[in-house]
Amino acid sequence: MNKPIIGITMGDAAGVGPEIIMKSLHDPLVYESCRPFVIGDSKIMERADRFVQTGLQIRSIQSVSEAQFQYGTVDCLDLNLLPADLPIGQVSAEAGHASFSFLKKAIELANAGEIDAICTAPLNKEALHKGGHIYPGHTEILADLTDTKDFSMMLSAPKLKVIHVTTHVGIIDAVKMINPERVYKVIRMAHETLQKAGYTSPKIAVCGINPHAGENGLFGYGEEEEKIIPAVKQAQEEGIQVVGPLPADTLFFRATRGDFDIIVAMYHDQGHGPIKVLGLEAGVNITVGLPIIRTSVDHGTAFDIAGKGIADEQSMKEALRQAIELAPKRV
C-alpha cells in the first residue's frame, strides 16, 4: 500500500472544521487516493456528524499504527483536550489551545515520518491567542515549530496561483519589510514549488507595490526600483522565467487567462482578494518552504454557520487533493 498518509488537523472545534472534515471523508474517492485520519477530538467529531449526518463511524485511536483507513470509518487520533459540550460558534481559550495542540502533534508525526502531509481545518486567531499561543496563523506556527526561516504562503485556485512576499502584517509594515532579498527568495520558492509539481519552466509574474507598478516614479517613492527590480533581475540571470514588477490591477486577469503560472504578490490583500473573488470553496492555502507538506482550506472558522451542517466542504476536498499530489511518494 503506497497511498500517502494524510493527517487532517481538526482546527478550532467551535467552528466548521469538524463538519467539513466529516463531509469530505464521506466521499469514497478520498480513500481511493490516500490514507486519511483526523488529529483532534473524537467527541467533537461525533458531534459534528450529528450536524452533517454522514453516518460515518468515529474510531478513536492513540497512534497512527492503530488506524485502519477504511471508508465508512473515520480514524481520529484523540488528544482528548475538549469538553463534549464546548460552545459552538464562540471564541474559546480551550478551543484555541486545542487547535494549536492538534497542529503540533501533526508536525511531530510528519517529522517522524509517520505521515506524509498535513491538511489543516481552520483555526481562529483570537481563540489561539486566548489559548496562550501568540501567532498570526497556521503558517507562522508551522515555520516556528519546524525551525523554518524562509517560507511563504501560496494560494491556489483552479485558474490562479499566488505566492506572498508578506502576509499577516499591516500595509505600512508590509512595505517596510519588502526588500530585494525577500522578493528574490519568494520568486525562487515559486519556481521550485511549481517545478516539483511538474511545470518544466514556470512562468512567474511579480506585482508592483504602487498603482501601475509606480509608473516610472509617478506613484510612490521608487519602491519598485529599490525593492523589486533587483530581485527580478537576479532571478532572470539564473534562468528563471520571471517578469515584473507589473501593475496588479491587470496582472491577475492576465494570469487567469493563462499568461502566467503564478503571481508573486507583495502583501496579504493584494494576493488574497483576487483568489477569494474566484470563490472561497475553490481556494487552497499551501505553506511553501517547509520541510513537510501542508495544505489548508482558504477560509475561516465561520462561527456564524457552525453547527448548522451547511458549511461547504469543497475547499477541504481540494486541500486534500493537493496534499496527496504534493506528498512524497511511498515505495
Side-chain angles (χ1 to χ4, degrees), residues 14-194:
V16 297
E19 296 170 54
I20 60 175
I21 291 171
M22 292 302 296
K23 284 185 172 184
S24 298
L25 296 182
H26 190 236
D27 185 346
L29 293 177
V30 172
Y31 284 80
E32 290 180 14
S33 53
C34 74
R35 289 177 281 175
F37 74 101
V38 179
I39 302 166
D41 190 296
S42 295
K43 301 184 297 297
I44 300 299
M45 294 304 296
E46 288 169 355
R47 181 176 73 173
D49 202 56
R50 292 197 291 273
F51 303 143
V52 299
Q53 299 183 342
T54 67
L56 300 173
Q57 298 299 308
I58 308 298
R59 181 171 173 269
S60 181
I61 60 175
Q62 297 304 309
S63 67
V64 180
S65 61
E66 295 177 29
Q68 294 179 348
F69 307 117
Q70 293 179 348
Y71 177 70
T73 300
V74 175
D75 296 304
C76 179
L77 185 63
D78 192 350
L79 301 193
N80 194 28
L81 295 173
L82 295 165
D85 60 352
L86 180 81
I88 299 168
Q90 296 180 25
V91 173
S92 155
E94 283 180 300
H97 172 65
S99 64
F100 174 85
S101 301
F102 303 151
L103 182 59
K104 182 180 178 184
K105 182 65 174 178
I107 292 168
E108 290 170 358
L109 294 173
N111 284 336
E114 294 190 56
I115 63 177
D116 300 304
I118 300 170
C119 183
T120 60
L123 52 72
N124 180 278
K125 294 178 180 64
E126 186 180 351
L128 184 70
H129 293 178
K130 280 193 171 185
H133 306 286
I134 312 302
Y135 293 91
H138 269 119
T139 301
E140 293 79 8
I141 298 172
L142 284 149
D144 186 27
L145 297 187
T146 59
D147 197 28
T148 301
K149 304 304 179 189
D150 294 322
F151 60 92
S152 182
M153 177 188 295
M154 185 172 91
L155 302 182
S156 178
K159 289 187 176 182
L160 183 63
K161 287 181 173 62
V162 181
I163 191 169
H164 294 71
V165 172
T166 67
T167 49
H168 295 114
V169 293
I171 186 66
I172 293 173
D173 292 328
V175 174
K176 290 178 182 176
M177 291 170 63
I178 298 167
N179 59 61
E181 181 183 11
R182 173 63 180 168
V183 174
Y184 165 76
K185 285 179 178 178
V186 174
I187 292 170
R188 180 132 213 113
M189 280 189 273
H191 176 75
E192 292 173 354
T193 300
L194 291 194

Side-chain angles (χ1 to χ4, degrees), residues 227-261:
K227 298 171 176 285
I228 300 176
I229 290 175
V232 172
K233 287 182 177 178
Q234 182 180 353
Q236 289 171 338
E237 289 169 0
E238 295 177 7
I240 294 175
Q241 194 172 340
V242 58
V243 295
L246 299 174
D249 58 357
T250 55
L251 183 50
F252 291 93
F253 166 74
R254 293 180 61 190
T256 60
R257 189 176 64 185
D259 292 3
F260 305 106
D261 297 312

Side-chain angles (χ1 to χ4, degrees), residues 206-220 223-225 228-229 244-251 267 270:
V206 179
C207 286
I209 297 171
N210 295 296
H212 301 189
E215 201 163 301
N216 298 317
L218 184 61
F219 303 110
E223 288 87 356
E224 280 74 18
E225 289 76 8
I228 300 176
I229 290 175
L246 299 174
D249 58 357
T250 55
L251 183 50
Y267 51 91
Q270 189 180 57

